[in-house]
Amino acid sequence: MKKLLSLVLSLSMAGSPATAAMPLGTAEKVCTIQYNQCLASFADREEKAQGIQNNDYVWNAKDGDKVAALQLTGDIARGKASYELCAACHLPSGLGLRNIGLPQLAGQHSTVIIKQLSDLRAGLRYSPTMEPFALTRKGPQELADLAAYIESLCTPLEHGKYSGSDANQKIAEGKAIYMEKCRLCHGVEGKGDRGRSYPVVAGQHYQYLMRQLTEIRDGTRHNSNPDMITALRKFSDDDRVAVSAFMASLTMPGKMCPAVADMKKQ
């Protein structure tokens, strides 16, 4: 536990007022160093064999902290205070860090945030960099508060996009695949489905989307929806690139916000 708390403290330094005032490039370097240290510290830990590895796995099962948190009303002011720890790497705006694939959180459905944090706490989703933060949350009410605050944030426009010279072609190819295979659950504009805990994908970093599609396909993200695994195993590598490029290009009318200080490019 002492090791866990020391990791949380060291990572949270990047989210302090002093570090939050740094240019994005400097703050990103600080977070990257701490991120890599955290990965190294957890390198000898065994991944928990839960979730999709079990024959009786039920996606989004109604149990644990998740059920209690979903029944509570989140307090945005308390959630903002709780988010200060998250700002270490996800930034005060919720933009995250595109270059190391840390997700953009702002505007994500509270149901999705609660599910993912609860799964981390229960060992259903394995992430050595997120586990310390999830485990140190005090309980369902703090999960509800934090999720409410994150959902209240507008989605930054400055997220990471596919930057290849064939971007237009990839986005067009990805759109065709997305509209056939992904639209039903994630929506035409990438808004997801709050009631079913399907995430917003519009405004998400390309690099993060690629990593998640790969981990879900390969079965290494243990809290995945089995329907997603089945669908993605039919995707070629080019399909995953194209769909990720398209999702990263999406914007949601009325939900996006212009760049602020912590989003300025290096």
Side-chain angles (χ1 to χ4, degrees):
M1 181 58 72
K2 288 183 179 178
K3 182 179 179 181
L4 177 64
L5 292 174
S6 67
L7 283 168
V8 172
L9 178 61
S10 64
L11 277 164
S12 67
M13 291 297 291
S16 67
T19 313
M22 293 178 181
L24 178 56
T26 303
E28 185 166 359
K29 289 177 182 177
V30 171
C31 182
T32 302
I33 291 170
Q34 300 293 354
Y35 176 85
N36 289 331
Q37 288 177 350
C38 188
L39 284 175
S41 297
F42 278 73
D44 60 346
R45 289 179 56 131
E46 291 187 7
E47 187 169 353
K48 298 177 182 178
Q50 295 192 34
I52 58 172
Q53 292 183 334
N54 292 342
N55 292 331
D56 59 352
Y57 171 65
V58 177
W59 182 79
N60 204 18
K62 307 303 180 186
D63 54 20
D65 287 344
K66 175 172 57 185
V67 174
L70 289 171
Q71 292 175 345
L72 296 169
T73 299
D75 183 281
I76 291 177
R78 289 197 304 259
K80 182 177 182 180
S82 180
Y83 183 78
E84 288 180 3
L85 194 60
C86 311
C89 287
H90 293 287
L91 302 184
S93 66
L95 175 64
L97 295 172
R98 61 178 77 88
N99 291 342
I100 56 175
L102 294 183
Q104 191 286 108
L105 299 179
Q108 186 58 262
H109 299 307
S110 59
T111 53
V112 173
I113 299 296
I114 288 171
K115 180 189 184 301
Q116 296 307 319
L117 288 174
S118 298
D119 286 353
L120 284 161
R121 288 162 67 87
L124 288 173
R125 182 173 180 182
Y126 178 76
S127 174
T129 53
M130 273 299 300
E131 187 175 331
F133 300 98
L135 289 175
T136 51
R137 300 298 170 183
K138 295 186 176 90
Q141 186 62 65
E142 186 172 3
L143 295 181
D145 295 343
L146 178 59
Y149 175 69
I150 290 172
E151 186 175 46
S152 75
L153 296 171
C154 64
T155 306
L157 282 167
E158 314 302 73
H159 58 280
K161 301 176 178 67
Y162 178 76
S163 58
S165 59
D166 58 347
N168 289 338
Q169 177 184 344
K170 287 296 184 189
I171 290 171
E173 293 172 355
K175 180 178 180 179
I177 299 170
Y178 179 93
M179 290 302 171
E180 179 183 355
K181 305 292 187 180
C182 314
R183 174 185 57 81
L184 187 62
C185 292
H186 292 284
V188 173
E189 296 175 334
K191 293 181 179 180
D193 188 320
R194 189 178 190 275
R196 294 193 288 175
S197 299
Y198 294 165
V200 175
V201 295
Q204 188 55 264
H205 301 309
Y206 166 78
Q207 185 175 354
Y208 178 76
L209 290 166
M210 271 293 292
R211 188 172 82 240
Q212 295 311 304
L213 292 187
T214 301
E215 290 181 359
I216 293 170
R217 180 201 64 181
D218 294 345
T220 55
R221 178 167 163 169
H222 293 163
N223 72 335
S224 299
N225 187 328
D227 292 340
M228 281 284 293
I229 298 173
T230 300
L232 286 171
R233 283 179 176 166
K234 298 176 183 178
F235 281 28
S236 67
D237 290 344
D238 285 343
D239 289 342
R240 283 186 295 111
V241 170
V243 169
S244 297
F246 174 69
M247 290 191 292
S249 77
L250 290 170
T251 58
M252 298 185 298
K255 293 288 186 178
M256 311 295 282
C257 57
V260 294
D262 72 9
M263 300 181 217
K264 291 179 180 177
K265 296 181 180 179
Q266 301 176 38

